[in-house]
Amino acid sequence: NNNNNNNNNDSSPSSSLTNTILHHRTNCTKPKLLHLLSNIITALFLLLPIYFTVQFSVNSNHVPFRLVSISAIFVTLTLYLSLHELSHHLTYMHKPNIQRYVLRIIALVPIYSVQSWLTLWPEGSAIRTIGVVYGEPFRDVYESYALASFLYYLVALAGGEDAMIDLLRRKDRSYGQHTMFPFRYLVCCLTEWEMGEEFLLRSKQGVLIFATLNLVGAVAVIGLKPLGLYGGDSVNAVDPRRAGVWVNFFFCGAVS
């Protein structure tokens, strides 16, 4: 028994060291993969200006190619910087309760840049269709997710919901009043928010409503735009026979 206990005591430090090394390698896997992904994406996007430059000499319509080519350079820079920031946060995850929200917010940057770049392609191209029909709804839904993450990021910075409520209670009551036009005239519908728990609860409800409406709008775009019933382009932007103008009108009114 003593020999077994000695063997266990002798092996415990090495086992602990092995587990530490394996845990470190596991934690470093995601940042390394993200570094590799950022390098691959950067290399691919750096080839795009070269490709479009070649197209200038063989295509008479230079403007669309020039626009996509120049914007690809800035998209490349945006992707590299954002992925670089993401990988560094994953590598140095010292405050995971706060940094996880930072990661979600930073991820909005490459999503916005890529989706915007896809919509710069010529009208009628397959790439532009992907960016408008699928990229834009995905961007809107993730924007709601990032907005909710920002709210909870502020709560985490304050030290939790109880600490945030105490912090809000010390704020001036004017922050809970609706003084912006035209809401200051809607006294019958909008009451003053009490600073503290009610203010935080109303903020969460607003983010939830915004996310729900964005999801409904995304479903409408994906379902109706391929059928030609949504509109929303430069020709049918305000056509009342299309669903796009009514979805946007309802969305703006409800969010307000």
Side-chain angles (χ1 to χ4, degrees), residues 78-97:
T78 302
L79 290 176
Y80 180 77
L81 292 176
S82 56
L83 292 175
H84 183 75
E85 287 293 320
L86 289 172
S87 62
H88 270 65
H89 274 286
L90 289 172
T91 304
Y92 306 104
M93 187 69 74
H94 302 304
K95 296 182 179 180
N97 292 334

Side-chain angles (χ1 to χ4, degrees), residues 109-255:
V109 177
I111 292 175
Y112 253 91
S113 61
V114 172
Q115 191 274 330
S116 300
W117 181 74
L118 294 177
T119 58
L120 292 177
W121 284 69
E123 190 77 31
S125 63
I127 295 180
R128 178 182 170 84
T129 302
I130 294 174
V132 173
V133 177
Y134 302 105
E136 185 175 348
F138 176 76
R139 181 205 65 189
D140 291 340
V141 172
Y142 192 86
E143 180 186 9
S144 305
Y145 181 65
L147 181 63
S149 299
F150 180 72
L151 175 62
Y152 285 99
Y153 168 70
L154 296 178
V155 173
L157 283 179
E161 290 195 4
D162 293 336
M164 175 61 80
I165 291 173
D166 292 336
L167 179 63
L168 290 173
R169 284 173 179 166
R170 296 195 295 269
K171 298 294 182 180
D172 189 85
R173 62 187 294 258
S174 61
Y175 289 104
Q177 297 174 352
H178 307 282
T179 58
M180 184 180 298
F181 178 84
F183 305 112
R184 61 173 175 263
Y185 299 109
L186 302 177
V187 181
C188 59
C189 304
L190 298 175
T191 58
E192 179 181 337
W193 295 354
E194 182 181 356
M195 297 304 296
E197 185 175 2
E198 182 183 2
F199 189 91
L200 182 59
L201 179 61
R202 297 291 187 182
S203 300
K204 289 183 177 180
Q205 290 175 346
V207 171
L208 180 61
I209 292 174
F210 181 78
T212 304
L213 293 176
N214 260 343
L215 181 60
V216 173
V219 172
V221 172
I222 295 175
L224 299 177
K225 208 170 186 67
L227 301 177
L229 301 176
Y230 185 82
D233 51 10
S234 57
V235 179
N236 302 313
V238 292
D239 188 353
R241 296 172 298 178
R242 309 288 181 177
V245 63
W246 298 109
V247 171
N248 292 327
F249 178 80
F250 175 75
F251 175 80
C252 293
V255 170

